[in-house]
Amino acid sequence: MSTSPPVRALEAGGGDTPDARQLRTILIAVSVALMAVIASVSGLNVAQTHMAVEFGASQSTVLWIINIYTLALAALLLPLGAVGDRLGRKPMLVAGLGVFGAASVVAGLAPSAEVMLAARVAGGAGAAMIMPVTLAVITSTFPEEQRGKAIGVWTGVAGGGGILGMFLSALLVDVADWRLQFVLPVVLVLVSLALALKSVPNSRETPAHRFDTAGALISTVAVTGLIFVLQEGPERGWTAPVTLTGLAVGIGAAVAFVAWELHRRDASLLDLRLFRERGLAGGSITLLVVFGVQAGIAVVLFPYFQAVLGWSGLLSTVALMPMAVMMMATSGLAPALAARVGSRPTMALGIALGGVGLALMALFVSADGYLTILPGMLAMGIGMGLAMTPSTEAITGSLPRGKQGVASALNDVTREFGTALGVALLGALLANGYRSAVDARLDGIPEGPADSAREGVANAVEAAGSAGPHGPDLLHAAQQSFVDGWQQAMWVGVAVMGVLFVYVAFRGPGGTAPADADADEPEAAEALTGP
């Protein structure tokens, strides 16, 4: 399928393509920038109580401080990715690092919840400038034979960076002050900025059509509405007026976006006709499900570690590290395996291992300790790492080189949707399973503590301390009921991964190398100029 040919320009030092040393520096620069963005998604989760006390804020306000960053990031990814393609990926990266770094400084010094909210919105906007560019720089700069390995490193950071960021944030909260966690992204920004200014070449697209402003605005409204629903639905209720309004706005804007983009065709922000190709469709669906399951697992694991095993936030985060390490390691190994056996078998193997990991946790989880779930976590980490890298390559390889900012943004939006969807759905399944199981175990427990236990396992742990002689029974009932809810959520995850496995086995991408759709256009010219 042809698209209007852009003219691509790549600025490299002295007019030469980057050598091996410069390529390594480029990869480090974009990986450090990506780490700063990813770490800021989940870092504040460990500081909820501290923010509520210091700002005198309600739980709803605290959740908005955490979620509004992700909302702004997801909503602006697609339009800012396209802007980066046009204006130049290096200027967009540098500008994004500046906005994101300044926002992190303001957040760390924020005197009120209102200032913190504004800083988080600005941080999300800066992150949306950075995130798609990091992957677009890789796909537009690295030679084809090295691109897969570089994407594997990027994918590993994207998949495991959130857990690493949460660990460092939890460490700072436990041993120092919660505000110091904003020092980490500022340091990462400064390191990335220094490397980017020195080594990252600029690549950009000179398109034949005007920027799709209407499509950009409609996509922003659609993503905002749908992410808002997934974030607020579990808290406000799925039938609450504000939730239903957000759903209507999101779906309406999504339908309008599809109609508009199909009307614009070659001049569109995102050519939706490309979803007919197996690579784009298969890669997007795989990332949506894989990141959804991964995020849902985290929602289950944290209350298990803290409420069932009685661990601190820091120790709970440490307990996630084996899964993150395996994910990051296998993300780097996946390109070599895909080159040998193909992208589709590699993705299918990863999905199968992820499903096995979920099944192991569902079968063996108990309140007895960490070792009952560790094998499942390790299998999950290996499987996710194997599935994510070829899926990302399939997406970036399906769009022409001049649209790599859009391709990268689509990849990132898919991840954010998957994360929000997994948290909402698996979290709801866990909560419903817990409530169904706990009622039958509360016979003989006084009404007050029993009602607290029905609200959730954390409430039950708190109520057990003041339940007198009924405390141990109440705690045991809540912990066992949580395990029951865990098993229900995990089996649903196994079923979802099974469906995904069948889809990828029959309809997954077939190639390994990203295609350059512009290569066949005789009008497309590539120039090398000095910086």
Side-chain angles (χ1 to χ4, degrees):
M1 182 176 298
S2 65
T3 58
S4 295
V7 177
R8 298 188 305 276
L10 177 65
E11 299 174 5
D16 298 324
T17 56
D19 58 19
R21 177 179 295 181
Q22 185 179 356
L23 288 174
R24 284 194 298 270
T25 305
I26 292 169
L27 184 57
I28 293 171
V30 297
S31 297
V32 171
L34 179 64
M35 175 65 77
V37 170
I38 296 295
S40 296
V41 171
S42 55
L44 276 183
N45 281 311
V46 299
Q48 293 187 43
T49 303
H50 300 79
M51 288 191 294
V53 172
E54 188 158 335
F55 294 142
S58 66
Q59 179 65 18
S60 176
T61 300
V62 170
L63 289 176
W64 266 110
I65 290 173
I66 294 171
N67 291 336
I68 202 166
Y69 172 85
T70 307
L71 186 64
L73 168 62
L76 296 173
L77 276 170
L78 198 58
L80 290 181
V83 170
D85 281 337
R86 289 171 174 254
L87 297 185
R89 289 156 188 147
K90 181 174 182 176
M92 180 64 81
L93 176 61
V94 171
L97 287 169
V99 172
F100 181 81
S104 298
V105 172
V106 173
L109 301 174
S112 66
E114 290 75 17
V115 174
M116 177 64 85
L117 281 166
R120 293 287 283 175
V121 172
M129 299 168 71
I130 296 169
M131 198 171 181
V133 171
T134 58
L135 183 56
V137 166
I138 291 174
T139 56
S140 62
T141 304
F142 276 72
E144 183 175 307
E145 64 274 10
Q146 300 181 45
R147 198 174 302 148
K149 293 180 180 179
I151 290 176
V153 173
W154 186 95
T155 304
V157 173
I163 297 175
L164 293 174
M166 191 178 296
F167 164 71
L168 293 174
S169 297
L171 179 63
L172 289 171
V173 169
D174 274 15
V175 304
D177 185 84
W178 70 272
R179 290 180 179 271
L180 289 180
Q181 65 180 282
F182 289 102
V183 173
L184 173 64
V186 171
V187 171
L188 293 175
V189 161
L190 292 175
V191 172
S192 178
L193 192 58
L195 294 174
L197 288 172
K198 179 181 179 181
S199 299
V200 173
N202 186 32
S203 57
R204 62 182 176 83
E205 171 196 12
T206 304
H209 301 281
R210 296 178 60 184
F211 182 71
D212 184 9
T213 304
L217 293 174
I218 297 170
S219 73
T220 301
V221 174
V223 174
T224 300
L226 295 175
I227 293 290
F228 173 84
V229 169
L230 293 173
Q231 288 182 344
E232 297 296 310
E235 184 71 20
R236 298 173 181 262
W238 295 105
T239 58
V242 67
T243 305
L244 295 177
T245 300
L247 181 62
V249 170
I251 292 177
V255 172
F257 178 73
V258 171
W260 176 255
E261 296 302 284
L262 290 176
H263 169 71
R264 291 270 298 185
R265 297 178 68 83
D266 291 342
S268 62
L269 182 72
L270 174 63
D271 189 351
L272 297 176
R273 297 171 295 171
L274 291 172
F275 279 95
R276 298 170 185 167
E277 298 183 10
R278 291 187 175 190
L280 189 59
S284 299
I285 292 172
T286 300
L287 283 184
L288 182 77
V289 174
V290 165
F291 269 81
V293 170
Q294 178 192 352
I297 290 297
V299 169
V300 174
L301 285 173
F302 264 99
Y304 174 78
F305 293 145
Q306 294 179 308
V308 177
L309 301 184
W311 291 357
S312 67
L314 178 59
L315 186 56
S316 300
T317 309
V318 172
L320 289 172
M321 295 300 288
M323 184 170 68
V325 170
M326 297 307 298
M327 187 187 310
M328 296 178 76
T330 52
S331 293
L333 297 175
L337 182 60
R340 176 171 296 185
V341 303
S343 294
R344 189 189 306 177
T346 303
M347 291 169 61
L349 175 61
I351 293 164
L353 286 173
V356 168
L358 290 171
L360 287 173
M361 285 190 280
L363 286 170
F364 298 114
V365 63
S366 74
D368 295 334
Y370 180 61
L371 293 180
T372 64
I373 63 166
L374 183 58
M377 289 176 59
L378 294 175
M380 278 284 298
I382 295 171
M384 297 299 176
L386 289 177
M388 287 190 300
T389 300
S391 299
T392 298
E393 284 193 87
I395 293 174
T396 58
S398 297
L399 270 72
R401 190 66 53 83
K403 289 281 189 179
Q404 284 305 295
V406 174
S408 304
L410 177 63
N411 174 80
D412 298 333
V413 170
T414 302
R415 291 168 181 263
E416 295 300 328
F417 263 119
T419 298
L421 192 62
V423 169
L425 295 185
L426 287 182
L429 287 168
L430 173 65
N432 290 335
Y434 170 84
R435 284 193 295 266
S436 299
V438 77
D439 274 329
R441 293 189 170 103
L442 293 176
D443 292 339
I445 305 294
E447 184 176 350
D451 288 340
S452 295
R454 291 186 180 95
E455 294 176 5
V457 66
N459 304 80
V461 171
E462 184 176 353
S466 58
H470 298 285
D473 292 336
L474 178 63
L475 185 60
H476 178 75
Q479 291 173 337
Q480 293 301 319
S481 298
F482 182 89
V483 169
D484 290 347
W486 169 308
Q487 291 174 318
Q488 292 183 31
M490 293 303 98
W491 285 123
V492 171
V494 171
V496 171
M497 294 294 275
V499 172
L500 179 62
F501 176 83
V502 173
Y503 172 81
V504 169
F506 289 96
R507 295 288 301 172
T512 58
D516 186 356
D518 296 333
D520 296 330
E521 300 287 354
E523 300 92 338
E526 186 163 348
L528 293 176
T529 61

